[in-house]
Amino acid sequence: MQLNTIKPADGAKKARRRVGRGIGSGLGKTAGRGHKGQKSRAGGYHKVGFEGGQMPLQRRLPKRGFKSQSLKYNGEVSLTDLQHLDQDEVDLVMLKAAGLVGQMIKHVKVIKSGELSRKVVLKGIGATAGAKAAIEAAGGALA
């Protein structure tokens, strides 16, 4: 195989449509645009979502609900997750390495869910009031 023998697969390249080239082509005269009207004119079309003056769908529907984009950067870890870790000092990098939070997460908070019976020191990680009390009761701390 040489570079000068390479060609696309059969049927991969389709000849472009040549419009306005006579009656025999099947796309002569009006060039497949029909007769008259906005869509037959050069430069005559409407913006996306325009429904001919009828109230557009995006304006007819009620506005409700909102999902903050900052949620995809915040993560949660439970006390049970901390219990199963084999490290005593826990930080964001370690949680990502353990697969407890996603790689895009920037802020983590420990929530009081489950039990913690061993000493854990949190570095750069927040905790709810209940989780903080449980960590301190087990001999751990928030650094």
Side-chain angles (χ1 to χ4, degrees), residues 77-82 110-116 128 130-131:
V77 177
S78 67
L79 291 174
T80 307
D81 294 334
L82 294 180
V110 179
I111 58 171
K112 186 184 177 193
S113 175
E115 298 291 324
L116 183 67
T128 62

PDB file of all heavy atoms in Angstrom, residues 77-82 110-116 128 130-131:
ATOM      1  N   VAL A  77     -19.221  12.531  51.776  1.00  0.00           N
ATOM      2  CA  VAL A  77     -18.647  11.274  52.250  1.00  0.00           C
ATOM      3  C   VAL A  77     -19.292  10.974  53.594  1.00  0.00           C
ATOM      4  O   VAL A  77     -19.459  11.869  54.427  1.00  0.00           O
ATOM      5  CB  VAL A  77     -17.114  11.397  52.401  1.00  0.00           C
ATOM      6  CG1 VAL A  77     -16.523  10.128  52.969  1.00  0.00           C
ATOM      7  CG2 VAL A  77     -16.469  11.712  51.074  1.00  0.00           C
ATOM      8  N   SER A  78     -19.656   9.726  53.813  1.00  0.00           N
ATOM      9  CA  SER A  78     -20.302   9.361  55.081  1.00  0.00           C
ATOM     10  C   SER A  78     -19.271   8.871  56.089  1.00  0.00           C
ATOM     11  O   SER A  78     -18.123   8.571  55.742  1.00  0.00           O
ATOM     12  CB  SER A  78     -21.352   8.276  54.836  1.00  0.00           C
ATOM     13  OG  SER A  78     -20.721   7.087  54.436  1.00  0.00           O
ATOM     14  N   LEU A  79     -19.696   8.767  57.352  1.00  0.00           N
ATOM     15  CA  LEU A  79     -18.829   8.236  58.401  1.00  0.00           C
ATOM     16  C   LEU A  79     -18.465   6.781  58.116  1.00  0.00           C
ATOM     17  O   LEU A  79     -17.349   6.338  58.405  1.00  0.00           O
ATOM     18  CB  LEU A  79     -19.528   8.335  59.772  1.00  0.00           C
ATOM     19  CG  LEU A  79     -19.725   9.749  60.322  1.00  0.00           C
ATOM     20  CD1 LEU A  79     -20.538   9.702  61.594  1.00  0.00           C
ATOM     21  CD2 LEU A  79     -18.398  10.439  60.562  1.00  0.00           C
ATOM     22  N   THR A  80     -19.390   6.044  57.521  1.00  0.00           N
ATOM     23  CA  THR A  80     -19.125   4.653  57.164  1.00  0.00           C
ATOM     24  C   THR A  80     -17.977   4.561  56.150  1.00  0.00           C
ATOM     25  O   THR A  80     -17.124   3.676  56.251  1.00  0.00           O
ATOM     26  CB  THR A  80     -20.388   4.007  56.564  1.00  0.00           C
ATOM     27  OG1 THR A  80     -21.475   4.209  57.462  1.00  0.00           O
ATOM     28  CG2 THR A  80     -20.198   2.529  56.325  1.00  0.00           C
ATOM     29  N   ASP A  81     -17.950   5.491  55.188  1.00  0.00           N
ATOM     30  CA  ASP A  81     -16.866   5.514  54.207  1.00  0.00           C
ATOM     31  C   ASP A  81     -15.523   5.754  54.891  1.00  0.00           C
ATOM     32  O   ASP A  81     -14.512   5.124  54.546  1.00  0.00           O
ATOM     33  CB  ASP A  81     -17.107   6.607  53.160  1.00  0.00           C
ATOM     34  CG  ASP A  81     -18.325   6.321  52.297  1.00  0.00           C
ATOM     35  OD1 ASP A  81     -18.681   5.139  52.141  1.00  0.00           O
ATOM     36  OD2 ASP A  81     -18.925   7.290  51.788  1.00  0.00           O
ATOM     37  N   LEU A  82     -15.499   6.673  55.864  1.00  0.00           N
ATOM     38  CA  LEU A  82     -14.265   6.956  56.604  1.00  0.00           C
ATOM     39  C   LEU A  82     -13.833   5.740  57.427  1.00  0.00           C
ATOM     40  O   LEU A  82     -12.642   5.478  57.584  1.00  0.00           O
ATOM     41  CB  LEU A  82     -14.449   8.165  57.525  1.00  0.00           C
ATOM     42  CG  LEU A  82     -14.679   9.515  56.839  1.00  0.00           C
ATOM     43  CD1 LEU A  82     -14.835  10.607  57.880  1.00  0.00           C
ATOM     44  CD2 LEU A  82     -13.550   9.848  55.887  1.00  0.00           C
ATOM     45  N   VAL A 110     -18.231  15.803  55.104  1.00  0.00           N
ATOM     46  CA  VAL A 110     -18.552  14.536  55.760  1.00  0.00           C
ATOM     47  C   VAL A 110     -19.924  14.675  56.409  1.00  0.00           C
ATOM     48  O   VAL A 110     -20.188  15.652  57.105  1.00  0.00           O
ATOM     49  CB  VAL A 110     -17.495  14.176  56.825  1.00  0.00           C
ATOM     50  CG1 VAL A 110     -17.860  12.872  57.515  1.00  0.00           C
ATOM     51  CG2 VAL A 110     -16.119  14.073  56.198  1.00  0.00           C
ATOM     52  N   ILE A 111     -20.800  13.700  56.143  1.00  0.00           N
ATOM     53  CA  ILE A 111     -22.138  13.731  56.733  1.00  0.00           C
ATOM     54  C   ILE A 111     -22.267  12.608  57.753  1.00  0.00           C
ATOM     55  O   ILE A 111     -21.561  11.596  57.677  1.00  0.00           O
ATOM     56  CB  ILE A 111     -23.226  13.593  55.640  1.00  0.00           C
ATOM     57  CG1 ILE A 111     -23.049  12.296  54.847  1.00  0.00           C
ATOM     58  CG2 ILE A 111     -23.215  14.789  54.716  1.00  0.00           C
ATOM     59  CD1 ILE A 111     -24.188  11.998  53.916  1.00  0.00           C
ATOM     60  N   LYS A 112     -23.151  12.805  58.711  1.00  0.00           N
ATOM     61  CA  LYS A 112     -23.339  11.809  59.773  1.00  0.00           C
ATOM     62  C   LYS A 112     -24.279  10.718  59.261  1.00  0.00           C
ATOM     63  O   LYS A 112     -25.479  10.807  59.369  1.00  0.00           O
ATOM     64  CB  LYS A 112     -23.915  12.459  61.029  1.00  0.00           C
ATOM     65  CG  LYS A 112     -23.980  11.476  62.190  1.00  0.00           C
ATOM     66  CD  LYS A 112     -24.627  12.075  63.399  1.00  0.00           C
ATOM     67  CE  LYS A 112     -24.719  11.001  64.470  1.00  0.00           C
ATOM     68  NZ  LYS A 112     -25.572  11.393  65.548  1.00  0.00           N
ATOM     69  N   SER A 113     -23.661   9.684  58.716  1.00  0.00           N
ATOM     70  CA  SER A 113     -24.407   8.540  58.240  1.00  0.00           C
ATOM     71  C   SER A 113     -23.556   7.317  58.544  1.00  0.00           C
ATOM     72  O   SER A 113     -22.490   7.143  57.970  1.00  0.00           O
ATOM     73  CB  SER A 113     -24.654   8.672  56.730  1.00  0.00           C
ATOM     74  OG  SER A 113     -25.271   7.501  56.246  1.00  0.00           O
ATOM     75  N   GLY A 114     -24.000   6.501  59.453  1.00  0.00           N
ATOM     76  CA  GLY A 114     -23.230   5.330  59.857  1.00  0.00           C
ATOM     77  C   GLY A 114     -22.478   5.592  61.154  1.00  0.00           C
ATOM     78  O   GLY A 114     -22.739   6.558  61.866  1.00  0.00           O
ATOM     79  N   GLU A 115     -21.521   4.721  61.446  1.00  0.00           N
ATOM     80  CA  GLU A 115     -20.756   4.791  62.690  1.00  0.00           C
ATOM     81  C   GLU A 115     -19.273   4.956  62.388  1.00  0.00           C
ATOM     82  O   GLU A 115     -18.782   4.490  61.369  1.00  0.00           O
ATOM     83  CB  GLU A 115     -20.964   3.506  63.510  1.00  0.00           C
ATOM     84  CG  GLU A 115     -22.399   3.268  63.934  1.00  0.00           C
ATOM     85  CD  GLU A 115     -22.880   4.280  64.974  1.00  0.00           C
ATOM     86  OE1 GLU A 115     -22.063   4.684  65.826  1.00  0.00           O
ATOM     87  OE2 GLU A 115     -24.050   4.674  64.912  1.00  0.00           O
ATOM     88  N   LEU A 116     -18.575   5.609  63.319  1.00  0.00           N
ATOM     89  CA  LEU A 116     -17.125   5.758  63.224  1.00  0.00           C
ATOM     90  C   LEU A 116     -16.533   5.381  64.570  1.00  0.00           C
ATOM     91  O   LEU A 116     -16.856   5.991  65.591  1.00  0.00           O
ATOM     92  CB  LEU A 116     -16.750   7.199  62.851  1.00  0.00           C
ATOM     93  CG  LEU A 116     -15.272   7.474  62.660  1.00  0.00           C
ATOM     94  CD1 LEU A 116     -14.756   6.732  61.432  1.00  0.00           C
ATOM     95  CD2 LEU A 116     -15.006   8.954  62.511  1.00  0.00           C
ATOM     96  N   THR A 128     -20.513  18.129  58.785  1.00  0.00           N
ATOM     97  CA  THR A 128     -21.717  18.637  59.429  1.00  0.00           C
ATOM     98  C   THR A 128     -21.505  18.605  60.940  1.00  0.00           C
ATOM     99  O   THR A 128     -20.560  17.979  61.439  1.00  0.00           O
ATOM    100  CB  THR A 128     -22.930  17.775  59.053  1.00  0.00           C
ATOM    101  OG1 THR A 128     -22.718  16.443  59.516  1.00  0.00           O
ATOM    102  CG2 THR A 128     -23.154  17.771  57.547  1.00  0.00           C
ATOM    103  N   GLY A 130     -23.198  17.099  63.292  1.00  0.00           N
ATOM    104  CA  GLY A 130     -23.297  15.737  63.827  1.00  0.00           C
ATOM    105  C   GLY A 130     -22.080  14.899  63.490  1.00  0.00           C
ATOM    106  O   GLY A 130     -21.578  14.133  64.328  1.00  0.00           O
ATOM    107  N   ALA A 131     -21.563  15.040  62.267  1.00  0.00           N
ATOM    108  CA  ALA A 131     -20.380  14.290  61.848  1.00  0.00           C
ATOM    109  C   ALA A 131     -19.158  14.749  62.623  1.00  0.00           C
ATOM    110  O   ALA A 131     -18.328  13.937  63.037  1.00  0.00           O
ATOM    111  CB  ALA A 131     -20.152  14.449  60.355  1.00  0.00           C
TER     112      ALA A 131
END
